[in-house]
Amino acid sequence: MGANLVIAGAGTADGTLVDIVITGSTIDAIVPAGDAPASPERIEAAGHLVAPSFVEGHIHLDKTLLGLPFIPHIPGDTVAERIAAEKQLRRTVGLSVEERGGRLIEQIAAFGTGSIRSHVDIDTEVGLGGLHALLALRERYADLVDIQIVAFPQSGIMADPGTADLLDAALSEGANLIGGLDPAGIDRDVTGHLDTVFALAAKHGAGVDIHLHDPGPLGAFELRQIAERTIANGLEGKVAVSHAFALGAIDDFEFGRTTDLLARARVAIMTNGPGPVSMPPVKRLAVAGVTVFAGSDNIRDAWAPYGNGDLLQRAMIIGYRQGFLADEDLAHAFAMVTTIPAGVLGLKTYGLAAGNRADLILLPSPSIPEAVASVPIDRTVLKNGRVVATGGSLTPR
Amino acid sequence: MGANLVIAGAGTADGTLVDIVITGSTIDAIVPAGDAPASPERIEAAGHLVAPSFVEGHIHLDKTLLGLPFIPHIPGDTVAERIAAEKQLRRTVGLSVEERGGRLIEQIAAFGTGSIRSHVDIDTEVGLGGLHALLALRERYADLVDIQIVAFPQSGIMADPGTADLLDAALSEGANLIGGLDPAGIDRDVTGHLDTVFALAAKHGAGVDIHLHDPGPLGAFELRQIAERTIANGLEGKVAVSHAFALGAIDDFEFGRTTDLLARARVAIMTNGPGPVSMPPVKRLAVAGVTVFAGSDNIRDAWAPYGNGDLLQRAMIIGYRQGFLADEDLAHAFAMVTTIPAGVLGLKTYGLAAGNRADLILLPSPSIPEAVASVPIDRTVLKNGRVVATGGSLTPR
């Protein structure tokens, strides 16, 4: 079958100009600029940078308040207080999860995100309602994004009896991974929480992605507990810990013994480049053999009014927070929203190579470091070989 | 004289809708929406938020590399190494300070900045060259921005003999304030450095704005030295310290005795919401009676590849770094790029009130907190009663 789309004269990471030949939803060939055959559709890239689509490593599609008037933040200093405030708010908002989550998907797809991992709250109040909404969104927006779902016990497991059975049901009904939350800080039972999480992972053959805000040496202890269970269950490469603020606030001894285990267990760390709290040190972790990927986390929800889901801006924020200045470091920040999360999510046909899916972005920057530093908005986004967004807006579906 | 421009139906901070009547370059009256008289020109604000223009508290017009191809960052971990790297680069760039600085002024004016404080390097290599370029820029762009110039000894004073005389000359030739830089870290002579700076301030009746990166208790000691000299010279309310990372990394005793003196001396603190280093705690400083204002600092220059000069994005970054979530805190972040720096810079006719200059922005957000959280780009900018930018781009001058 002949090519149906050619992206002509696109810039690549190494500075060469290429033509990208697309057949159906697949990259058929990448050839030197000018060498592509004629094709019914043609995009003149004019030297704009081409890259594989952004991969969102951590988002909460069910939490966003997009589509509603701006709701002032309800105060609450501890994680527990915020959980209570969110539940209160959730009972009163006038738009469904499907409406709010759908709006967020459309927004992030327009920025160039093609694949996402979304957590969804599972608790004894909402039950599997959020999961069912996300399963419907996954179906409805299959032409824009691929969605991986984490069954997330936002209210704890032991702290909210009945949640373990709901998590079990969620994994049976289509959730892809089992989540967790602050085994010490919320459930006050590190062993009980993690035993439950890993038993569910083993039962369903599911990966694991645990929210961990617990600070300093306490959080580091929990990271080691997670790594040990990962190895014991043969889950190396299938477990992630999100946030892990502790890694940015422990001494060298704690850091060394914790990262040794994380690296051995191939546990990946997700960061959103947090503002006021300690952040996992990305380059130091890379040297220690620990993978760090990025996610947007909260986007205008009960947890924070910030965020727009633009992963290029997220790469900038992470680079800024980490003091990334050199080109190679800026490129690493870009990898944290592209190739690195693609690996963590296990995307099989991701990347700028023949045979892979034509999930691509064109950025009006001559290089990846410049794109990260300047965060241009005018982008062309392709999903499955079809142009889905230009200039920051979705094209008609 | 009759109104020549009416902004009709603009939203204000308290949620009311108003008409703004402008005569020449002045706000003539602010009346309830619908009450404005007819006028030759009329802008339908349609509920968009109106606010006084952004005030840039700290920028380096002479340093930016805008207009040049992206230049990879030259490594250098210490302030001294970076100073050397910048000097090296400065000798080779192909565009003049006037060309690069002019491009930056146009960019920030399009974002809605109407007044700025710019530092300019004064050293024995560049002499007063940078100052002369900034004086020319101040003239050339008087219809877009008002510029206050700080004579800044980027290479130190004692460390670069001859600089003190150049600073003296700079203040005679049009610089408005005397700067300084890490009396301990760069000049290794706290007394000598500060005595020179304050003697020049006294001689010229100039204000002071000192860069201080020195960390922890060392930086806190220098802050107290600055506050004591401020009081001794009767300069209360005319001295600022930029960065002051130390205030984010000292114990309660050091913090208390340092802020007591800063508050008494009315020394203001400038922050850009730094990424990898400690940040002055904005709300804690406010409680202690210390004013904190914001600035962009480096914008794509030898110090950092980041930054675009958008002070609304800067307010977001500062709020994000400080964990500002509540509406009143987001509004405080907005004040840090508007009314607070206007006070520090001593702008006489600033603000949304009859009789003040019509330096205004219209933002497509229903409220200030939402504007800070979402950073919309589509803005209308007025300088001296004239529309100078719409949709993020300058109108033809």
Side-chain angles (χ1 to χ4, degrees):
Chain A
M1 157 164 136
N4 52 357
L5 172 62
V6 165
I7 301 172
T12 57
D14 66 8
T16 56
L17 288 180
V18 298
D19 289 350
I20 298 175
V21 184
I22 294 167
T23 304
S25 62
T26 304
I27 300 172
D28 213 40
I30 300 178
V31 297
D35 285 3
S39 73
E41 266 191 279
R42 192 176 162 92
I43 296 171
E44 298 297 339
H48 284 197
L49 186 72
V50 65
S53 293
F54 297 126
V55 179
E56 171 60 76
H58 187 117
I59 200 168
H60 295 268
L61 288 176
D62 57 330
K63 289 185 189 291
T64 186
L65 301 170
L66 283 177
L68 294 162
F70 188 78
I71 298 174
H73 183 74
I74 301 165
D77 285 338
T78 66
V79 174
E81 283 171 341
R82 289 198 179 163
I83 292 167
E86 177 174 46
K87 275 186 168 168
Q88 183 60 39
L89 184 64
R90 190 169 73 184
R91 294 183 195 113
T92 62
V93 295
L95 283 182
S96 70
V97 169
E98 271 194 68
E99 288 169 302
R100 293 181 278 114
R103 195 175 275 247
L104 181 51
I105 289 171
E106 292 180 10
Q107 183 166 313
I108 65 178
F111 282 126
T113 293
S115 299
I116 74 182
R117 173 178 287 185
S118 177
H119 297 251
V120 64
D121 286 11
I122 306 282
D123 61 49
T124 55
E125 183 175 303
V126 76
L128 302 182
L131 174 69
H132 295 152
L134 259 65
L135 291 171
L137 287 170
R138 175 151 78 183
E139 192 81 13
R140 174 144 67 100
Y141 287 103
D143 59 332
L144 286 185
V145 290
D146 296 292
I147 304 179
Q148 201 171 77
I149 301 173
V150 185
F152 171 46
Q154 173 72 81
S155 298
I157 301 177
M158 342 303 282
D160 186 18
T163 298
D165 289 341
L166 288 166
L167 293 168
D168 192 5
L171 289 163
S172 296
E173 292 193 25
N176 307 92
L177 297 99
I178 174 74
L181 171 67
D182 291 337
I186 294 296
D187 268 354
R188 294 179 289 174
D189 180 354
V190 178
T191 302
H193 184 99
L194 292 181
D195 282 354
T196 305
V197 167
F198 279 88
L200 286 169
K203 175 177 175 185
H204 293 275
V208 177
D209 193 329
I210 298 174
H211 281 64
L212 187 65
H213 313 89
D214 286 333
L218 172 60
F221 165 72
E222 294 173 274
L223 284 165
R224 296 193 297 275
Q225 287 286 308
I226 291 166
E228 284 175 9
R229 280 173 172 76
T230 299
I231 294 167
N233 285 277
L235 284 171
E236 290 92 338
K238 293 190 144 191
V239 175
V241 176
S242 290
H243 304 306
F245 302 147
L247 288 168
I250 47 179
D251 64 28
D252 287 354
F253 172 72
E254 284 285 303
F255 188 84
R257 66 175 177 154
T258 304
T259 53
D260 280 354
L261 265 171
L262 291 174
R264 194 146 22 110
R266 290 193 280 125
V267 170
I269 303 295
M270 190 298 302
T271 187
N272 69 333
V277 296
S278 62
M279 178 174 171
V282 173
K283 286 166 72 176
R284 234 184 125 198
L285 284 163
V287 169
V290 179
T291 296
V292 185
F293 65 112
S296 296
D297 197 19
N298 304 107
I299 295 172
R300 189 176 294 192
D301 62 22
W303 293 74
Y306 300 103
N308 61 7
D310 178 4
L311 284 168
L312 187 57
Q313 187 185 74
R314 184 63 47 187
M316 181 275 279
I317 287 172
I318 286 170
Y320 183 73
R321 277 288 274 133
Q322 291 284 293
F324 287 178
L325 302 172
D327 275 8
E328 62 174 328
D329 293 338
L330 294 170
H332 188 82
F334 192 81
M336 287 174 69
V337 297
T338 51
T339 51
I340 297 175
V344 173
L345 270 65
L347 306 183
K348 298 291 180 210
T349 54
Y350 179 89
L352 202 60
N356 284 338
R357 227 165 32 165
D359 288 2
L360 301 169
I361 40 175
L362 286 168
L363 296 167
S365 304
S367 75
I368 285 175
E370 182 167 354
V372 171
S374 59
V375 194
I377 290 298
D378 181 23
R379 310 167 191 180
T380 299
V381 182
L382 283 85
K383 177 70 182 173
N384 292 324
R386 191 176 69 85
V387 174
V388 296
T390 56
S393 301
L394 287 186
T395 51
R397 297 170 71 199
Chain B
M1 157 164 139
N4 53 357
L5 171 62
V6 165
I7 301 173
T12 57
D14 65 8
T16 56
L17 287 179
V18 298
D19 289 350
I20 298 175
V21 184
I22 295 168
T23 303
S25 62
T26 304
I27 300 172
D28 212 39
I30 300 177
V31 298
D35 286 4
S39 74
E41 265 191 281
R42 192 176 162 94
I43 297 171
E44 298 296 340
H48 284 196
L49 185 72
V50 65
S53 293
F54 297 126
V55 179
E56 172 59 77
H58 186 117
I59 200 168
H60 294 267
L61 288 176
D62 57 330
K63 289 185 188 291
T64 187
L65 302 171
L66 282 177
L68 294 161
F70 187 78
I71 297 172
H73 183 75
I74 301 164
D77 285 338
T78 67
V79 173
E81 283 171 340
R82 289 197 179 163
I83 292 167
E86 178 175 45
K87 275 187 168 168
Q88 182 60 38
L89 183 64
R90 191 168 70 185
R91 294 184 196 110
T92 61
V93 295
L95 283 182
S96 70
V97 170
E98 271 193 68
E99 289 169 301
R100 293 181 279 114
R103 194 175 275 247
L104 180 51
I105 289 171
E106 293 180 10
Q107 182 165 316
I108 66 178
F111 282 126
T113 293
S115 299
I116 73 182
R117 174 178 286 184
S118 178
H119 296 253
V120 64
D121 286 10
I122 305 282
D123 61 50
T124 55
E125 181 175 304
V126 76
L128 301 182
L131 173 70
H132 295 151
L134 259 65
L135 291 170
L137 286 170
R138 174 152 78 182
E139 193 82 11
R140 175 143 66 101
Y141 287 102
D143 59 332
L144 286 185
V145 291
D146 296 292
I147 303 178
Q148 200 170 79
I149 300 173
V150 185
F152 171 47
Q154 173 72 81
S155 298
I157 301 176
M158 341 304 283
D160 185 19
T163 299
D165 289 341
L166 288 166
L167 293 168
D168 192 3
L171 289 162
S172 297
E173 292 193 27
N176 307 91
L177 297 99
I178 175 73
L181 170 68
D182 291 336
I186 295 296
D187 268 353
R188 293 180 289 175
D189 180 355
V190 177
T191 302
H193 184 98
L194 293 180
D195 282 353
T196 305
V197 167
F198 278 88
L200 286 168
K203 176 176 176 185
H204 293 275
V208 177
D209 193 331
I210 298 174
H211 281 64
L212 187 65
H213 313 91
D214 286 333
L218 172 61
F221 165 73
E222 294 172 275
L223 283 165
R224 295 192 299 274
Q225 288 287 309
I226 290 166
E228 284 175 11
R229 280 172 171 77
T230 299
I231 294 166
N233 285 278
L235 284 172
E236 289 93 337
K238 294 193 145 188
V239 175
V241 176
S242 290
H243 304 306
F245 302 146
L247 287 169
I250 47 179
D251 64 29
D252 287 354
F253 172 72
E254 284 286 303
F255 188 84
R257 65 173 176 156
T258 303
T259 54
D260 280 355
L261 266 171
L262 291 174
R264 192 146 23 110
R266 289 193 281 127
V267 171
I269 303 296
M270 191 298 301
T271 187
N272 70 334
V277 297
S278 61
M279 177 174 172
V282 174
K283 285 166 73 175
R284 235 184 126 199
L285 285 162
V287 169
V290 179
T291 296
V292 185
F293 65 112
S296 296
D297 198 19
N298 304 107
I299 295 173
R300 188 175 295 191
D301 61 22
W303 293 74
Y306 300 103
N308 60 8
D310 178 4
L311 283 169
L312 188 55
Q313 187 185 76
R314 185 62 48 187
M316 181 275 280
I317 287 171
I318 286 171
Y320 182 74
R321 278 288 274 132
Q322 291 284 292
F324 286 178
L325 301 172
D327 276 8
E328 62 173 328
D329 294 338
L330 294 170
H332 188 81
F334 192 81
M336 287 175 69
V337 297
T338 51
T339 51
I340 298 174
V344 173
L345 269 64
L347 305 184
K348 297 292 181 211
T349 54
Y350 179 89
L352 201 61
N356 284 338
R357 227 166 30 168
D359 288 2
L360 302 170
I361 40 175
L362 285 169
L363 296 168
S365 304
S367 75
I368 285 174
E370 181 166 354
V372 171
S374 59
V375 194
I377 290 299
D378 181 23
R379 310 169 191 178
T380 298
V381 182
L382 282 85
K383 177 69 182 174
N384 292 324
R386 192 176 68 86
V387 174
V388 296
T390 55
S393 302
L394 287 187
T395 50
R397 296 171 72 200

